[in-house]
Every structure is written in structure tokens, then in C-alpha cells.
Amino acid sequence: MKTTRFHAIHKECGAKMVSFAGYEMPIQYPKGIIAEHNVVRNNIGVFDVSHMGEFEVKGGDALNFVQKITVNDASKLVPGQVQYSAMCMEHGGIVDDLLVYCIEPGVDYMLVVNGANIEKDWNWCVKNSVGMDVKLKNTTDEISLLAVQGPKSREALQKLTKEDISEEALPFYNYKFGELAGVEMVISRTGYTGELGYELYFRGDEAVAKKVWDAVFEAGDEFGIEPTGLGCRDTLRMEKAYMLYGNDITEETNPLEAGLGWITKLPKGEFNGSDVLAKVKEEKPKRRLVGFISDAERFIPRSHYKIFIDGEEAGFVTSGNLSPTLGKPIGLGYVPWDKKDAGTKIEIEARGKRFPAEIIKLPFVK
């Protein structure tokens, strides 16, 4: 297994380490997942997400390449902007969801992909770049990435940089090149928790990583900063109904049925899967990813559990957990298109029993 440059720090902090995306990563620290979840919701938590993949895309056809492989319209981006998007196969299935960073319009972009999909995504990008004036570079192993998340994240990080990272100067889905804690980096605002937060992309060895980590924790000490693991990252994203690749979206799901029509820009012109997606949009998807909540006790919905509506099997759960904020079981799953409306009563089958639930308007936590 690979390790990130923060590995020794995680060990010192008493993290429980697990195999994830080919890396040994912290799933939780001694205080536990619920405590970490609440720290991010109320104060500030720090995630090591250096397992995420970063690809450089440069050249005269860089924009044409990004437009070909992604469903969103990257031509709208200007330097400093980030775009949420997805890559699709020719049949419309999703290769991965990703972020597109515009460095220089037309000729220079950075793609940030899911850690579990780096090899697959890289091969897909290389395959789709044949015959184009584009130079690809996989910089994943060069870059460390910290996600500093929570309502106190701005106050803490502003101490460490001369860059203005206020809401006005650095809005959601924007980034800056700058120095933080004496290290040159990309300071970004995207996030996977639903809270105010920043992502710090930087190069350097373990000493540089430790310098940044220590500075962030010193700056956040007055706000109750804590290290946070992948366990609470999942409960946080669930409460906001952010999708997890491999569960909620896969090569067998398309963006329109997954509720990603808002990033699927058919008018931009032809792209991978665009003809199939245009037909799906015209005819309406056969199913829809929805969110549901339950009042049932001793029940946690899990991936692949069957969903029943009016006594008939109607779909399946893709993700589920107990919401620490709501104290109730919540989940995502696919149901027939005509059964997707909020208020629809459903049942989830688990351990040979069926538990009542109700489809609701997302997100679970505002």
C-alpha cells in the first residue's frame, strides 16, 4: 500500500488506519467518527485527502480535450475558477466525477479525480487524447492535499496567508495560487462536507507536509481543531447528498438519472455519450436517484439493500448511514422515475425485515 506524506502524523495521532484506494489512510481517530463529524459541523476538521488524483492537461487542444471527455461546459471557465463535472463513456455511463481547474483558458487545466479511480481515469484520458495537441501529466504522487473544513476554517487559515480568502475574494468553486504557512500552493474552495472549507494543494517532502500540518493546527487551536478521517467524511457527504463514485454513480448509471442534469450541458456540442444522453433527456430517464429518511430504530440502510414501494420491489439503496446531525437513518437509492417525488412512502429490506422510510427533498441537512 502507498502512504501519504502525513502517514507518520496520523500514526502519532492514534489514527485507525485502513486500506483505501491503494493507500493506508486514517478512517478515524481516537475520539471517533461522530465526534469528528460534529467538529467539522461546528468548528474545524482537517482531512488528509492526498490519495486524490491530479492530472495536468496542457496544449493547443487542452480545452477541446476537456470538452470531449467531460459533460459540463469548460469553455465558460476563467482562471481561478473550478467546475464540478463528470466523464462519461460512449453509452452514457459515468467513468468518474471530477473537478476541472482552469489555469489558462484553452491551454492549461488541472483535473482532480477520485483516488479509487486514478488508474482507470488516467487510461481513459490517454485513450481520448490520441490525435490531439494535448500533453497529459499524472502529478498525483507529487502533490499533497489537505481539506480544512468547518465554519472556523477561514479564520484559522487567514492567519497563515497574505492572500485574501474571504467570501468576496475567494467564492465557492474558486481557487488562488498563493503562499500559506510559507509554502507555495493552490488554495481552493470546493469541499465534500457541506461546510465552509478549503483545499490546500502543495508539493514537497514529509518535512514540508509536517510544516503545513503543524501550522494549520496551531492556527486552528483556539477554534478546537481536530484531525478527521474518512469515516466522518462519508457521514458528512451523506447529509449533503453528495455522491460517492462506485455507490451512487457508476459506469452503469448516467448523469441524468443520477440528478446531475445541472452539470450536463448538451448545448455545448458533441462529447462522449452526448447522443445517448440527449435521447435519455428527450424520453426521460427510467429511474432517479433519490434521498430517503427513516424513523426506524436499530436500522442503518446499506448499499444494495432492496427498496419496496406498495409492496413491490422497486429499486435499491446505493448509500446509507445514521446521520449524526439528525439522529436518524438516511440514504440514497434508485427508484422508478414516476416514484421519485418527495413524500413517497417506501420500505427498505434488511436482515429479512422491511423498515419504513420516506423520500424527501435533498439535502438532508441544509
Side-chain angles (χ1 to χ4, degrees):
M1 280 189 292
K2 292 183 177 181
T3 58
T4 74
R5 295 176 184 87
F6 302 100
H7 186 263
I9 296 173
H10 299 318
K11 291 284 202 178
E12 291 171 10
C13 292
K16 178 182 178 182
M17 308 295 285
V18 298
S19 173
F20 185 81
Y23 288 79
E24 188 173 48
M25 299 292 290
I27 188 78
Q28 67 180 77
Y29 296 85
K31 291 185 180 179
I33 291 173
I34 293 178
E36 293 171 32
H37 179 108
N38 291 331
V39 159
V40 175
R41 284 277 179 256
N42 298 297
N43 302 314
I44 175 174
V46 181
F47 299 88
D48 173 12
V49 284
S50 304
H51 64 294
M52 299 289 283
E54 293 87 17
F55 304 159
E56 289 181 356
V57 181
K58 297 183 179 183
D61 283 335
L63 176 58
N64 292 335
F65 168 78
V66 174
Q67 291 287 71
K68 174 186 177 182
I69 66 167
T70 67
V71 301
N72 211 330
D73 189 354
S75 71
K76 304 295 186 183
L77 293 172
V78 300
Q81 288 185 332
V82 189
Q83 186 179 76
Y84 179 59
S85 193
M87 295 189 289
C88 281
M89 307 184 83
E90 287 81 358
H91 65 73
I94 300 172
V95 177
D96 201 5
D97 61 338
L98 74 160
L99 299 176
V100 178
Y101 283 69
C102 177
I103 313 300
E104 184 178 348
V107 296
D108 193 354
Y109 299 85
M110 178 174 73
L111 309 182
V112 181
V113 303
N114 283 298
N117 291 340
I118 293 172
E119 183 177 2
K120 180 183 77 166
D121 290 357
W122 175 252
N123 291 338
W124 182 253
C125 286
V126 170
K127 176 183 175 182
N128 279 274
S129 69
V130 173
M132 304 184 79
D133 175 20
V134 60
K135 182 179 180 181
L136 303 177
K137 183 180 180 183
N138 185 348
T139 58
T140 301
D141 292 340
E142 301 175 18
I143 295 174
S144 292
L145 176 56
L146 290 181
V148 184
Q149 300 281 302
K152 301 298 184 180
S153 57
R154 178 178 291 138
E155 291 176 76
L157 294 182
Q158 189 63 80
K159 299 179 188 179
L160 303 175
T161 180
K162 293 180 181 178
E163 297 293 332
D164 185 353
I165 60 171
S166 65
E167 181 66 36
E168 296 74 19
L170 188 59
F172 199 38
Y173 271 79
N174 280 256
Y175 75 89
K176 286 186 174 186
F177 288 109
E179 193 175 279
L180 186 145
V183 176
E184 289 293 328
M185 63 178 66
V186 170
I187 305 169
S188 172
R189 269 199 66 200
T190 57
Y192 196 49
T193 65
E195 296 297 334
L196 172 66
Y198 298 82
E199 297 75 48
L200 312 178
Y201 297 82
F202 59 94
R203 287 174 165 83
D205 59 12
E206 282 79 1
V208 174
K210 187 176 189 307
K211 177 183 178 182
V212 174
W213 178 281
D214 289 347
V216 169
F217 273 79
E218 183 178 348
D221 183 62
E222 66 173 296
F223 305 113
I225 193 170
E226 295 280 355
T228 43
L230 297 177
C232 80
R233 192 168 170 80
D234 189 58
T235 56
L236 288 159
R237 71 96 190 168
M238 270 298 310
E239 290 186 344
K240 296 300 291 185
Y242 291 153
M243 290 171 205
L244 176 64
Y245 190 87
N247 286 50
D248 313 305
I249 49 177
T250 69
E251 292 181 6
E252 283 70 53
T253 59
N254 68 62
L256 301 180
E257 65 187 4
L260 295 177
W262 62 280
I263 65 167
T264 306
K265 304 299 172 61
L266 294 169
K268 77 172 183 174
E270 188 176 337
F271 57 89
N272 288 346
S274 58
D275 54 341
V276 174
L277 295 177
K279 186 176 180 182
V280 171
K281 183 176 182 180
E282 181 182 355
E283 298 176 354
K284 289 191 177 179
K286 293 181 172 60
R287 59 182 183 173
R288 181 64 153 81
L289 186 69
V290 297
F292 60 85
I293 191 166
S294 175
D295 290 319
E297 296 181 355
R298 295 186 293 279
F299 166 61
I300 298 179
R302 296 300 190 194
S303 180
H304 303 302
Y305 283 6
K306 294 177 180 178
I307 295 175
F308 289 80
I309 300 177
D310 297 328
E312 299 290 329
E313 184 178 341
F316 59 94
V317 176
T318 56
S319 290
N321 220 315
L322 184 67
S323 164
T325 302
L326 302 175
K328 295 182 178 183
I330 60 173
L332 299 172
Y334 283 96
V335 299
W337 183 263
D338 61 353
K339 304 291 186 181
K340 63 181 171 49
D341 293 342
T344 301
K345 305 295 184 182
I346 66 174
E347 291 180 305
I348 313 295
E349 188 174 79
R351 306 185 304 277
K353 298 172 61 177
R354 293 183 189 176
F355 296 85
E358 180 178 325
I359 294 174
I360 67 167
K361 185 177 180 181
L362 297 172
F364 299 101
V365 174
K366 299 294 187 289

